[in-house]
Amino acid sequence: MENLELELEKNRQTEIVEPYNLPDGWKWTSAKEIADIYTGNSINEKVKAEKYAGQKRGLNFIGTKDVDFDGSINYENGVKITDFENFKTAPENTALLCIEGGSAGKKLGFTEEKVCFGNKLCAFVSKSIEPKLIYYYLQSNVFFYCFMKKRHGLIGGVSVNTLKQIPFPLPPTLAEQQRIVNRIETMFAKLDQAQKKAQSVLDSFETRKAAILHKAFTGELTANWRKENGVADDSWEEKRLEDVCDFITKGTTPKKEDMYIGNGDIPYIKVYNLCFDTKLDFTIDPTFVKLESHKNFLARSITLPGDVLMNIVGPPFGKVSIVPDSYPEWNINQAIARFRCKSELYNVYLANYLISPKTIENMSRQIKTTAGQQNLTLEICRNITIHIPTLPEQQEIVRILDAVLEKETCAKEAAQTVLDQIALLKKSILARAFRGEI
C-alpha cells in the first residue's frame, strides 16, 4: 500500500501541466523526452590558466561569459580542453542555456561545433527532433515564465531535474518542425536587418556625443559665433577649477538618527540621485536630514540651487548634476564633490565640461584605488583645468549643446524604442510558432 502511494505521488509530481491548448496532432511532452539535458564541468581558474589556456588543439571551452545576450558564442577565448574525453561535451547544433546566476534563463547560445562547457551552462541535446526548435522554444515567453517560476536559492538557478520536467509543445512530424523553424528564421531575418540599423544608432550615440562635446570645449562649435560677434579666437583662458569656483568641498555622513527616508527637513543627495546628463533625480529613495545637523555637523557641505555636483567614488565616474531650485537648501554625502561657480563661469557650461569623456579620462589617470574602490580626491577636483571663453560664449555653447544633444537623445530613444518593439515582435512570433499559428 505504501509503495502504491509513493508511485501515485511520483506520477503527480511528473504530470505535465499544459499551459495552453495545442492544434490537432501536436502534443505536450516534457523536455526530457525530446532532449538529453545536462550541465558541464567546473574548472579551477588556476588549473584552467596552467593547463588549458593557450592550447592549440582540443575542444573549445565555453563558459557563461562566452555566451552573449544576443545568442552569439565566443569560441576564441583562448581556452581549449585537450583531454576532453574526461569532460562533458555538447555536440554541434546544441542549445546551451545559462541556468544559474544573474544571467539564468537569459543567456542562450546554439553551438556551431562540438565544445566543452561550464557547469552553469546546460546543454539540450536533441534526441530526435529539429535541434533549432528547442533553441527557439527556450527563447519563448512560455519557457521563460516556467523557468523563472522554478528559480531557487540565493544565487538563483534551476536544477537539471526541474528543467527535465518543463513542458514542451511538440509538432507532429520532423518536416513540420523544420517548416516552423524555417518560418521563424525568415521572419527573424527581416527583423534583424532593422535591429542592426537601430543598434548601430544606439552604439554610436556615445561616440557622437563625445565628438560634439569635444568640439564645444575646443572652440570649434562656436567659431562662427566668435567671428560674427568680433570675439578673438585667443580669448579662451585655461584655469583650474579652484580659481573659478568657491571652496570646492564634499559631503559627509550624518548620524543615523539624523536621517529620514521619504520626507524631512533638508534633502540629502546620494550618488544614485546623480545622472550622466547633468540632471538630478531625487525621486530615487529620497533621503532627508535634520535641520540642526544640516546647519552644524553638515555645514561644510550645504548645497544650494545651481551648484554642480559630481560623484568622486566609482566606478563609474561621470555622474554630474546641477542642483535644482525645488528646495532652498540641500546637503550631500561623502561620495559627492560640490562646485559653486564664481561669476566668470556658467554652471551649465561647467556641468557639461565635467561629463565630457576627455575630462573624465584626464581625471581617471589620477584616480586612487583603495580596497577595490576608486576615489577622486578633492585635490584632484580642485586642480582640474578648464578652458573658459567669455561668459556670452559659454552661454552660446550651452545653447548649441542643448539643441544638438536633444536631437541626439531623441535619435537614441527612437532607436531604443525600435529595439524594444523588435524584441516584442520576436516574442510574438515565437508565441504563434509554438501554438501552431505560423
Side-chain angles (χ1 to χ4, degrees), residues 227-297:
K227 187 180 296 184
E228 292 168 359
N229 289 273
V231 178
D233 287 340
D234 61 358
S235 60
W236 289 48
E237 296 182 281
E238 183 177 279
K239 295 188 177 182
R240 294 183 304 166
L241 285 187
E242 69 173 354
D243 297 325
V244 289
C245 292
D246 288 337
F247 182 65
I248 298 170
T249 187
K250 66 176 182 176
T252 189
T253 303
K255 297 176 182 177
K256 189 175 181 180
E257 57 268 25
D258 289 343
M259 300 176 67
Y260 302 94
I261 302 296
N263 58 72
D265 298 333
I266 302 295
Y268 184 71
I269 301 169
K270 297 185 178 182
V271 170
Y272 54 68
N273 299 125
L274 305 185
C275 302
F276 292 99
D277 60 359
T278 77
K279 294 181 176 61
L280 182 80
D281 188 355
F282 198 62
T283 64
I284 304 172
D285 295 333
T287 303
F288 294 79
V289 292
K290 288 182 178 179
L291 180 61
E292 182 181 355
S293 179
H294 171 71
K295 292 294 186 182
N296 295 287
F297 183 69

